[in-house]
Amino acid sequence: RCDGLNLMAYRERFGTDSGGDFPMLDELAACGLASDKNGTLHLTESGFERADVIGPWFYSEAVRTAMEEDSLT
């Protein structure tokens, strides 16, 4: 999403740290694919170029299973 991930709003809503819940967020930043701007994590231009690959990292197991079952029918 273009508006990014508000890190404080995530913590307030879920009671946990987004980086702890999704360690790959730290990897994105370390690789220059995301950056923290005033407490909101945004994809960089390079991150947007790879968004089709990055997005599936965040699919839940239930979504992955449903997609797999759907592809078999």
Side-chain angles (χ1 to χ4, degrees), residues 30-55:
C31 293
L33 300 174
S35 64
D36 183 340
K37 297 179 185 174
N38 300 318
T40 301
L41 191 66
H42 294 273
L43 289 178
T44 62
E45 186 174 329
S46 294
F48 272 111
E49 290 172 0
R50 293 160 178 83
D52 289 346
V53 174
I54 294 169

Side-chain angles (χ1 to χ4, degrees), residues 2 8 10-11 16 27 31 34 36 38 44-46 48-49 53 58 62-63 66 68 70:
C2 292
M8 182 63 74
Y10 183 96
R11 178 177 286 284
T16 57
E27 291 181 47
C31 293
D36 183 340
N38 300 318
T44 62
E45 186 174 329
S46 294
F48 272 111
E49 290 172 0
V53 174
F58 299 95
V63 168
E68 186 175 306
D70 188 50

